[in-house]
C-alpha cells in the first residue's frame, strides 16, 4: 500500500512537471499546419475559455487509445471518458449542469497544439489549433497523453 502511494506520488510529480512540450513558441518551434475540430453543441460561444491542460499517464503495457476530441456535456459523457482511464486519473467536473467541456488530444512531444481561433454557427462549434514542432525538444520517456481543455456555458 505504501509503495503504491509513493509510486502514484512520483507519477503525479513527473506528469505535472514534464507533461507535454512547451506551448511557448520558441525560436526552434516550426509551424506545421492547423487542425480543425468541430462539435455539434448548444453553447454560448462568447463564454468559451481554455482551461488548464489535462495530463494522463499510461503504463507501456496498458496504453489505451482515447478519443481525439471529446465533448463532455453530461454525466454519461464523463463516465464514458473516465472508462478509458485508470481509477486514480478519473476526471471530476462539478459544473456540468451549466457548462460543456471540450477535450482535444495534443499530438504529443515533440509536437504540440496552440489555440488559434474558434467560431460558432447553427450549433456547430469549430476550434482551430495551430500545430508546432520543437526540433530540439527533450521528450520524456514515459507515455502520456495531454488534452487541451475548453469549456463554455450551455445555451439556456
Amino acid at each position: 500500500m505504501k509503495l503504491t502511494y509513493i509510486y502514484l506520488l512520483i507519477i503525479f510529480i513527473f506528469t505535472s512537471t514534464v507533461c507535454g512540450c512547451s506551448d511557448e513558441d520558441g525560436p526552434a518551434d516550426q509551424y506545421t499546419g492547423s487542425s480543425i475540430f468541430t462539435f455539434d453543441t448548444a453553447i454560448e460561444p462568447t463564454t468559451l475559455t481554455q482551461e488548464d491542460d489535462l495530463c494522463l499517464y499510461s503504463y507501456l503495457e496498458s496504453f489505451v487509445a482515447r478519443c481525439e476530441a471529446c465533448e463532455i456535456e453530461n454525466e454519461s459523457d464523463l463516465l464514458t471518458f473516465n472508462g478509458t482511464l485508470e481509477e486514480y486519473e478519473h476526471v471530476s467536473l462539478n459544473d456540468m449542469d451549466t457548462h460543456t467541456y471540450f477535450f482535444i488530444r495534443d499530438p504529443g512531444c515533440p509536437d504540440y497544439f496552440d489555440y488559434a481561433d474558434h467560431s460558432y454557427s447553427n450549433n456547430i462549434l469549430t476550434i482551430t489549433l495551430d500545430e508546432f514542432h520543437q526540433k530540439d525538444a527533450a521528450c520524456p520517456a514515459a507515455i502520456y497523453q495531454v488534452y487541451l481543455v475548453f469549456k463554455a456555458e450551455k445555451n439556456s
Side-chain angles (χ1 to χ4, degrees):
M1 178 70 178
K2 191 173 187 177
L3 273 176
T4 302
Y5 175 74
I6 292 170
Y7 182 67
L8 291 176
L9 183 62
I10 290 169
I11 290 172
F12 173 76
I13 292 169
F14 177 77
T15 58
S16 64
T17 57
V18 296
C19 190
C21 293
S22 167
D23 59 4
E24 300 292 322
D25 299 344
D29 298 352
Q30 177 183 4
Y31 173 78
T32 59
S34 294
S35 294
I36 297 172
F37 300 89
T38 59
F39 303 91
D40 187 357
T41 185
I43 61 164
E44 181 56 49
T46 59
T47 65
L48 184 74
T49 58
Q50 186 171 1
E51 304 294 304
D52 290 336
D53 292 347
L54 173 63
C55 300
L56 304 171
Y57 180 84
S58 296
Y59 297 105
L60 287 172
E61 64 273 3
S62 66
F63 181 78
V64 176
R66 298 184 178 109
C67 65
E68 182 178 7
C70 308
E71 177 182 353
I72 307 209
E73 62 181 353
N74 56 46
E75 195 65 35
S76 176
D77 295 338
L78 184 59
L79 286 172
T80 299
F81 183 77
N82 279 339
T84 67
L85 308 178
E86 297 289 336
E87 187 174 338
Y88 64 88
E89 291 183 316
H90 281 189
V91 176
S92 176
L93 305 170
N94 60 2
D95 58 353
M96 283 192 309
D97 55 327
T98 58
H99 290 83
T100 298
Y101 286 81
F102 308 94
F103 295 172
I104 300 174
R105 188 164 34 124
D106 201 63
C109 194
D111 300 322
Y112 66 92
F113 282 141
D114 197 17
Y115 172 80
D117 193 18
H118 76 274
S119 62
Y120 186 77
S121 178
N122 297 322
N123 286 349
I124 301 295
L125 171 64
T126 303
I127 297 177
T128 303
L129 301 174
D130 290 336
E131 187 170 345
F132 293 89
H133 177 79
Q134 292 180 323
K135 292 179 183 176
D136 298 324
C139 299
I143 294 177
Y144 58 89
Q145 293 178 333
V146 178
Y147 279 90
L148 281 71
V149 178
F150 298 87
K151 83 173 186 178
E153 291 180 12
K154 292 181 179 182
N155 200 355
S156 310

